[in-house]
Each structure stands twice: as structure tokens, then as C-alpha cells.
Amino acid sequence: MTLTMEGNDQERIPEDGDCKPYNFSVVPFQLEQHFEFIEISEDGYLLLGSSNLVLNYWNGSIWYFKDADLAPEKEHSLTGHGRDCGIACGKFLESKDKIIVGDDSGALTIYHATTFENDTVHLIPQMISTHHDSSITSLSVTSSRTQTISGGNDLAINVWDNESLVSEFKYSPAHTRTVTDVVACKEENSIFLFASSSLDGSALLWDTRMNKAASCIKEGIGCGLTALSWKNNNEIAIGLQSGKVAITDVRTNCDIAEETVMDCAIHKILFDDKNLLAVCGDSTSVKVWDSNSKNIVYSDERHTGFVRGLAWHPKSHKLYSCGFDKKVFSHQINTYES
């Protein structure tokens, strides 16, 4: 088994035939207590990230389920993979079998879900890169699936090539405080555009083609910005530490709507394809806000710990949430009921 180094910060993991899976892909004994993110592929596969954030040494694991409704029971998972640090974010790439994960060490890893001769599935790490000097806080995959954007506690933003895991663009510092979210524009003709938010109170629009890559969307509002989600190519929702959500037109930098959705700092927001915005924050609540009517159309309090992850199912249109209570819940929103 050999590792090839590219520069000083990138490792290429051996091909499947070079080494038996148990040498570097042992399924963890259990899921950690704190669920940090949940993602669902176009095929309905679910990726769940968990961390142990209470012991002297933090650790984490990622878990892979064939069906979203099977989570989070370990015995129903296809496989899992452990890390010796917390795991903050993960995304599916061009298929259900290829994922990218960012962790608290600053490492970015691409895994491939591989089925072996004994029909066991393992998440095999293919490439690792550590361009971030602190924990990665957010990941976003471009609409073309060829690039991934990462933001972190080191104030930096990287744009990665998904085939080589080489950082094509690095902006450091991109903000003056922690980068809380990065989101690629979801329109296919805007693959060079993405937005970022920060605890410094600013949201920026980035264009990697420009010498001056960043322009300001929102700033100087007196509190940190914590979450982003594109509504369409021109409008973006911004979550604030105050509990407000603002929808801003990036062409004019003017707010179209602003509403207090939570009574706490917002952690994550996520649009579906019908302009419904799922919202969670530093509380046990999951809420869905209709950006057209400006009304909260759904609220749920089943979680007993902070809600951290949200994902819309592409087929059933149900909303899934996970949190620090080691629970995953599904939510049927009335708008989608037949």
C-alpha cells in the first residue's frame, strides 16, 4: 500500500484492490450522540453525520442508509465510517456512491461507497486534503457537480475540483470572522457564482471569474449571519443570529421580505422546490416558512436537543431533521399532502 503526496497537504488513498477494506474502513461500534448533518441523494439514500462533543477527545462518524426512513438505527444502515474528530458537514457528489465530508480537523475527504465480494458496503476514503487551518463549517456542491465550495473557522473559503480535490481558488481571509455558510447558485448557467455568510455580519456574492471576486449582498445589520439558501437565481434567504430570515435580491441588495421565524439564533435554512423554507436554530424547533405568503405553515417540537440538520426528500417531498438528541424525524408538510 502506498500513498502519493501532492504538495504538503494532500493524500491519495489506495485503490480498492491495493488493500483489504478492514485495514482502513472499520464500521464504528455506534453512532455518536450529536447528529450534525443530514443529506439525501436524488435516489433517496441518506447520509448522516454524528459527533461526540462532550468528552476530552472529540470523535465522529458518517453513516450511510439506503432509505431515509431507516435512519438512525445502526442495524438498518448499509455502513459507517469513523473519524478521530467531529464531523460538521457532508454532501453527495455526482451519484449516491460518492460523497464529500468536512470535519473539525480542517480535512476534506472524498469517500466512495464500495460493495465487496461478501456483499458488505464500505465507505472507502479516496482523497484527503487539508487546506483549511481550522474546522470546516459548511460545504456546497455546484450544480454541475464538478466543484465543491468549503468555508471554515479559519475565515477562508476554498473552491475544490471534485476529481482531483485540488483547491482551484482560495480566498483567505474571505471574512473577518467565522464563515458560517457557503451556497453555490443552483442555476446551471451560474456555476461560477456562490454566496457566503459570516459572524462578521456580512453576506457576500462571489464570482470566481472576476479579479475582484466578492461583492457585498448584506452588511452592517448589528448581528452575525448564520445560514443561506438560494430561492432562485436572483433571490437568496439569509438567516440571522437574531432569529430573523431575510430574503434579499442580489441584483439590488434590497430585502424583499424579512420575518422573525425563530426566537433564537438560526442555524440552518433550506428551500424546497415550492418556495417553502425549512428553518432550525439553537432550539428544539423545526419550522417551515412560506416565503410567498410570509406565514409559518409548519412547526414541530419533537426534538429534545438542538436541531442541526435539515434535508428535503426529492421524491416524497418530506422534510427530515436531525439534532443533538440523537434523533432523526420526518415531517409531512400540509402543502404536499394529497
Side-chain angles (χ1 to χ4, degrees), residues 121-285:
V121 179
H122 289 266
L123 291 174
I124 305 300
Q126 292 185 317
M127 289 177 283
I128 302 173
S129 190
T130 53
H131 269 280
H132 283 280
D133 297 325
S134 186
S135 58
I136 296 174
T137 56
S138 179
L139 293 175
S140 183
V141 180
T142 61
S143 59
S144 64
R145 300 289 177 178
T146 59
Q147 295 171 307
T148 296
I149 305 149
S150 64
N153 273 328
D154 59 353
L155 318 183
I157 292 174
N158 281 279
V159 180
W160 308 86
D161 176 79
N162 289 340
E163 287 298 320
S164 62
L165 205 59
V166 168
S167 178
E168 297 182 321
F169 302 94
K170 182 169 185 176
Y171 305 104
S172 180
H175 288 270
T176 58
R177 293 186 64 188
T178 294
V179 180
T180 54
D181 207 357
V182 289
V183 286
C185 190
K186 57 186 180 181
E187 297 292 335
E188 292 195 7
N189 60 351
S190 300
I191 61 174
F192 303 101
L193 296 175
F194 67 92
S196 65
S197 62
S198 170
L199 294 181
D200 64 11
S202 69
L204 302 178
L205 180 66
W206 299 81
D207 189 334
T208 58
R209 298 167 296 182
M210 301 296 180
N211 291 329
K212 185 179 179 182
S215 59
C216 187
I217 301 172
K218 197 174 186 70
E219 68 175 345
I221 56 175
C223 70
L225 307 184
T226 53
L228 300 168
S229 183
W230 287 98
K231 181 179 180 180
N232 53 50
N233 204 27
N234 298 316
E235 299 173 12
I236 191 168
I238 303 172
L240 285 68
Q241 281 185 315
S242 64
K244 289 184 177 180
V245 172
I247 297 181
T248 301
D249 190 320
V250 299
R251 296 166 297 183
T252 62
N253 297 340
C254 293
D255 289 344
I256 299 171
E258 188 174 83
E259 186 77 22
T260 299
V261 179
M262 309 285 282
D263 58 1
C264 59
I266 287 174
H267 179 75
K268 186 175 180 62
I269 57 179
L270 188 64
F271 270 115
D272 72 345
D273 57 4
K274 288 192 175 182
N275 296 326
L276 296 178
L277 185 71
V279 183
C280 69
D282 293 345
S283 73
T284 60
S285 298

Side-chain angles (χ1 to χ4, degrees), residues 38-47 64-68 91-99 141-146 186 188 273 311-318 320:
I38 187 170
E39 293 290 329
I40 301 175
S41 73
E42 293 179 359
D43 300 316
Y45 282 66
L46 182 141
L47 183 67
Y64 187 63
F65 295 84
K66 186 175 183 179
D67 189 314
K91 297 287 184 182
F92 285 97
L93 293 179
E94 71 267 16
S95 71
K96 67 182 185 299
D97 299 323
K98 193 173 183 180
I99 61 176
V141 180
T142 61
S143 59
S144 64
R145 300 289 177 178
T146 59
K186 57 186 180 181
E188 292 195 7
D273 57 4
W312 290 99
H313 198 291
K315 295 182 178 180
S316 69
H317 303 293
K318 288 195 294 185
Y320 287 78

